[in-house]
Amino acid sequence: MSALFNFQSALMVLLLLICTSAYCHQLFPAFMDRKKGSPMWGILWKCARIGERLSLYISVCCVIFAVRLFIGA
């Protein structure tokens, strides 16, 4: 089943997108800030902002998903 039709997989993809964007923004801040006006880079820039500002909640969600994956539920 694709991630579009499975809610848990869609949440996992969204969390990974937020975490990856925040990490890339930490490595290349000037590049992402310069490109935030374009549609694709703008979405990644917004995901990076979410990851930076809500990092505690994002990390808790990542831990919950990791535990669920480890348990196999």
Side-chain angles (χ1 to χ4, degrees), residues 35-44:
K35 300 279 187 176
K36 68 181 176 183
S38 68
M40 184 189 80
W41 290 107
I43 292 172
L44 294 177

Side-chain angles (χ1 to χ4, degrees), residues 38-57:
S38 68
M40 184 189 80
W41 290 107
I43 292 172
L44 294 177
W45 182 80
K46 288 176 186 177
C47 288
R49 288 291 169 208
I50 291 170
E52 290 171 357
R53 293 183 179 168
L54 299 175
S55 61
L56 176 66
Y57 299 114

Side-chain angles (χ1 to χ4, degrees), residues 9-25:
S9 296
L11 282 178
M12 181 83 67
V13 168
L14 183 65
L15 276 174
L16 288 173
L17 179 69
I18 289 171
C19 292
T20 304
S21 298
Y23 181 73
C24 289
H25 186 264

